[in-house]
Amino acid sequence: MKKILFAASESVPFIKTGGLADVVGSLPKYFDKEKYDVRVMIPKYMCIKEDWRNQLTYRTHFYMDLNWRKEYVGILELEYEGIRFYFIDNEYYFSGPSPYGEIYADIEKFAFFSKAVLSALPLIDFRPDIIHCHDWQTGLIPVYLDNFRYGNEYYRGIKTVMTIHNLKFQGTWDAKRVQDITGLPPYYFAPDKLEAYQDANYLKGGIVYADRITTVSNSYAEEIKMPFYGEKLDGLMNARANSLSGIVNGIDYEAYDPAEDRYIARRYTVDTFRRDKVKNKMALQEEMNLERDHHRMMIGIVSRLTDQKGFDLIAYIMDELCQDAVQIVVLGTGEERYENMFRHFAWKYPDKVAANIFYSEPLSHKIYAGCDAFLMPSLFEPCGLSQLMSLRYGTVPIVRETGGLRDTVEPYNEYEKTGTGFSFANYNAHEMLGAIRYAEQIYYDKKRDWNKIAERAMKKDFSWGNSAKQYEKLYDQL
Ligand code: ADP
Ligand code: GLC
C-alpha cells in the first residue's frame, strides 16, 4: 500500500476559491483504494462553514518552532466520502474572512502551514511515501523536507510531487524577511534554490526541490517553458523539463451530473437533453429577470473576474455583442473594474444581460445547465474546469485555444461534423466575437448540428478515472 498525502490551501467541500479546491477534494476519491491510501491536509480556516468545523474531531496538538516564534499547531480530522482529511489549526494564522489576504501575511501563514504539515506527520501515525504539494502555498514543503532530512531519520526517503495549478502565483517576498519567518538556513537563499530575481519565491523552491513536477494539462506543461506563459520561470521549467509532465484535470462526475443535480429545475441526460435542457434555460430567464424566450441563445460565464480569464476582450466587444440575439448570464467576483463592467451592461441591457457579482454554488449549476453556450476566452489557462462542467451539461464552450482549453475542447468542424465547441486562436476581441457569431449562426440556422455538438460534448469523458491512473503511474515511478 502506497501512502500519499495531499497538502494544499483549499479543498472542496470545506473551502473553495477556485479550481484548486475542486481538484484537491475530488481527485483522492479516484485512486485504486487497494493500492493507494491518499489523505489530504489543509488549514482549518475560521471561514470554513461552522457546520463543517463542528464535525471535525480533535486529534492532538503541539508547539512548533518557526524561527524565534513558538506556534501552536492543532490537528483535527474528518473522514468524508472515504477520504481522511486533516486540518491544521492555528487561530492566529487562519482566522481571516477568506483563505488569502495580504501577500505579506500569506507568506508567513503558508510558511507556518508548510512546516506544520511536516511536523505533524509523526503525530498522526501516517508516514507518507509521497507528499503531493499543490501550488505556491505548499512550495516550502519540499524545501523544509530537504532541511529536515539532515537531522531526522524519520523524513529520509519521503518523496515529493509539486503540482502547478497556476504559475502566475508564486508567493514571492523579500528574502531577508522570509529567512526570518521560516528560519531556514541562509544556504537556501540563493538563485539556484529559493531565490528568484532577488526575492524569495515559494513556488520556485518547490519546483527546485520536488522530485517530480506536474501541471494540469499537456499544453500548459509545454507553454510554461516559453517566456509568454513562463511567468519568468521558463528557464527553470526548461531546466527541469525531464521531471515535468502534464496531467489533465477531471471533474467530479457525481457532483456535476445533469441527471442527478439537485440544484437545477429539470434534470436531463444525453437522451433527453433535446427536450428537457431548455426548461433550465426558462427557469434561469425567470430567476434572472431576462426576457422569457426559450429560443434565445443564452451564453453563460462562471469565473473569477481577473485578467487571466480574458475579460478585457469581453469588455471590448460587449456593446457589439449585445446587438445580437443573445442573452448573457454572468456569475463571478474579482477585480472591481470587471464587476462594474458587468453591472453596467446589466443596467444598459436589462433584457439581455444578468450580472451576479457574488459566489454561489447553486447558481453556478443552474448556469452550466441552463445556458446554450459557455464563454471562456482566457489569456492563459492551466486547465480550466468550467469548460469541463459545461461539456458535461451539454452547454457548448466557446474558448480561446490555450492551455487546458485547447486540450479539452475540440473545435467544431462543420464539414466533418466533429467537435464539441468553438474556439479562436489569437488574443483578439474581434476574433473572439467572430467565434461567438459563428456559434450563433449554427445555433439559429443549424439547430440539428448544434444539438449534435452538445451531444458529443455530453458524451466526452472528463471524469477523473484516466488522470488518476496517470498520477498512480507517477507515484509508482518514485
Ligand atoms: P480557476 O481555478 O482558475 O478559477 P477553474 O475553471 O479551474 O478556474 O475553476 C473554477 C471553479 O470555480 C469552478 O468550479 C467554477 O464553477 C467555480 N466558480 C468560479 N466563480 C464562481 C462563483 N462566483 N460562484 C460559484 N462558483 C464559481
Ligand atoms: C488554477 C487554474 C485553472 C485550473 C485549476 C485547477 O486555478 O487557473 O486553470 O483548472 O487551477 O487545477
Side-chain angles (χ1 to χ4, degrees):
M1 182 76 94
K2 263 211 159 61
K3 298 200 211 82
I4 319 287
L5 182 74
F6 276 33
S9 58
E10 42 182 285
S11 170
V12 292
F14 309 105
I15 185 84
K16 163 169 164 180
T17 72
L20 170 63
D22 290 305
V23 173
V24 173
S26 61
L27 170 58
K29 292 194 280 184
Y30 295 88
F31 289 102
D32 181 349
K33 295 239 159 33
E34 307 278 294
K35 296 198 191 122
Y36 304 88
D37 182 354
V38 184
R39 307 186 184 187
V40 181
M41 203 174 264
I42 61 171
K44 178 180 173 273
Y45 302 107
M46 286 285 254
C47 57
I48 293 177
K49 285 219 177 65
E50 206 183 331
D51 252 13
W52 287 119
R53 277 188 287 124
N54 289 338
Q55 292 178 43
L56 311 182
T57 37
Y58 167 85
R59 176 83 184 247
T60 183
H61 78 271
F62 59 98
Y63 286 85
M64 178 183 84
D65 289 327
L66 198 58
N67 205 7
W68 47 271
R69 305 163 196 78
K70 232 184 179 34
E71 301 286 358
Y72 172 90
V73 184
I75 308 172
L76 295 88
E77 60 185 358
L78 174 70
E79 187 157 325
Y80 181 74
E81 294 187 343
I83 302 299
R84 184 152 301 270
F85 288 85
Y86 297 102
F87 298 79
I88 297 293
D89 186 22
N90 177 299
E91 287 195 0
Y92 170 69
Y93 287 121
F94 300 135
S95 62
S98 75
Y100 316 117
E102 298 290 339
I103 181 67
Y104 69 87
D106 289 353
I107 283 284
E108 185 169 334
K109 185 190 297 180
F110 292 108
F112 165 79
F113 178 66
S114 296
K115 192 167 183 188
V117 167
L118 292 173
S119 308
L121 297 178
L123 297 166
I124 58 171
D125 214 14
F126 183 72
R127 185 185 174 278
D129 300 297
I130 295 164
I131 304 177
H132 190 154
C133 307
H134 297 268
D135 272 357
W136 76 264
Q137 293 88 349
T138 54
L140 284 187
I141 291 179
V143 184
Y144 272 124
L145 184 63
D146 181 75
N147 186 234
F148 275 33
R149 275 199 272 247
Y150 292 112
N152 196 330
E153 190 72 38
Y154 178 90
Y155 293 98
R156 269 176 225 154
I158 297 180
K159 304 279 185 190
T160 50
V161 175
M162 182 85 230
T163 292
I164 303 166
H165 296 264
N166 197 332
L167 192 59
K168 175 118 191 154
F169 304 112
Q170 300 177 1
T172 58
W173 199 246
D174 177 69
K176 278 261 152 338
R177 264 296 283 153
V178 171
Q179 205 175 316
D180 178 61
I181 290 167
T182 58
L184 283 164
Y187 159 83
Y188 288 102
F189 295 84
D192 62 337
K193 303 191 180 68
L194 249 186
E195 203 177 286
Y197 307 97
Q198 270 89 56
D199 280 331
N201 182 319
Y202 285 21
L203 184 63
K204 185 185 175 197
I207 295 169
V208 169
Y209 280 96
D211 296 290
R212 287 303 177 92
I213 304 140
T214 72
T215 183
V216 287
S217 69
N218 275 316
S219 284
Y220 195 61
E222 290 306 315
E223 287 168 348
I224 57 179
K225 292 179 203 156
M226 295 179 280
F228 185 82
Y229 293 101
E231 305 288 349
K232 293 170 134 182
L233 292 185
D234 41 299
L236 175 64
M237 300 322 306
N238 278 300
R240 295 232 53 192
N242 286 335
S243 307
L244 168 70
S245 57
I247 300 179
V248 75
N249 284 334
I251 54 171
D252 188 334
Y253 263 40
E254 283 160 30
Y256 294 91
D257 180 1
E260 299 284 342
D261 197 321
R262 286 173 298 113
Y263 295 129
I264 66 178
R266 176 67 69 98
R267 297 177 197 152
Y268 57 93
T269 65
V270 71
D271 297 319
T272 63
F273 82 92
R274 284 180 173 77
R275 191 183 67 228
D276 288 344
K277 183 168 161 48
V278 68
K279 304 270 176 12
N280 293 299
K281 175 158 70 177
M282 291 160 75
L284 197 54
Q285 285 173 334
E286 183 94 25
E287 184 177 339
M288 298 284 108
N289 227 340
L290 296 169
E291 191 184 339
R292 296 354 173 229
D293 176 355
H294 66 272
H295 292 301
R296 189 59 52 89
M297 175 166 162
M298 188 189 265
I299 302 173
I301 295 172
V302 178
S303 183
R304 291 185 290 118
L305 303 179
T306 67
D307 283 335
Q308 175 190 339
K309 305 292 177 174
F311 286 106
D312 50 344
L313 299 188
I314 296 177
Y316 199 76
I317 52 87
M318 229 3 219
D319 261 315
E320 264 178 276
L321 180 60
C322 287
Q323 310 311 311
D324 295 3
V326 296
Q327 292 179 329
I328 300 155
V329 178
V330 181
L331 172 64
T333 59
E335 286 171 37
E336 215 171 280
R337 61 193 162 126
Y338 296 132
E339 296 187 343
N340 289 335
M341 183 265 287
F342 283 117
R343 287 191 185 108
H344 167 77
F345 285 108
W347 163 81
K348 192 169 177 186
Y349 303 100
D351 275 350
K352 290 191 156 171
V353 180
N356 304 280
I357 309 302
F358 50 81
Y359 187 93
S360 164
E361 199 71 33
L363 183 55
S364 73
H365 285 241
K366 291 176 195 174
I367 293 174
Y368 292 127
C371 291
D372 299 293
F374 188 86
L375 182 59
M376 201 164 167
S378 305
L379 173 62
F380 68 93
E381 198 59 77
C383 178
L385 301 176
S386 294
Q387 84 282 10
L388 302 181
M389 293 162 185
S390 305
L391 290 167
R392 172 91 164 129
Y393 283 81
T395 299
V396 176
I398 304 170
V399 303
R400 190 169 91 85
E401 291 152 20
T402 184
L405 298 174
R406 191 175 131 200
D407 293 355
T408 57
V409 177
E410 188 196 338
Y412 173 56
N413 181 322
E414 68 177 280
Y415 307 103
E416 290 173 8
K417 308 279 181 220
T418 55
T420 54
F422 295 83
S423 65
F424 63 100
N426 295 303
Y427 196 72
N428 173 301
H430 279 95
E431 213 176 298
M432 174 184 73
L433 186 59
I436 298 173
R437 289 194 162 146
Y438 180 36
E440 287 174 34
Q441 187 201 327
I442 304 301
Y443 176 84
Y444 282 113
D445 302 342
K446 296 190 170 169
K447 200 47 184 278
R448 263 163 195 255
D449 287 4
W450 180 272
N451 281 334
K452 283 274 180 208
I453 300 172
E455 182 179 331
R456 284 192 292 270
M458 289 184 82
K459 283 185 166 160
K460 279 266 160 189
D461 182 7
F462 286 106
S463 60
W464 273 113
N466 217 342
S467 303
K469 289 255 155 6
Q470 292 181 53
Y471 281 112
E472 288 178 355
K473 222 175 175 179
L474 182 83
Y475 297 153
D476 291 346
Q477 286 165 8
L478 288 170

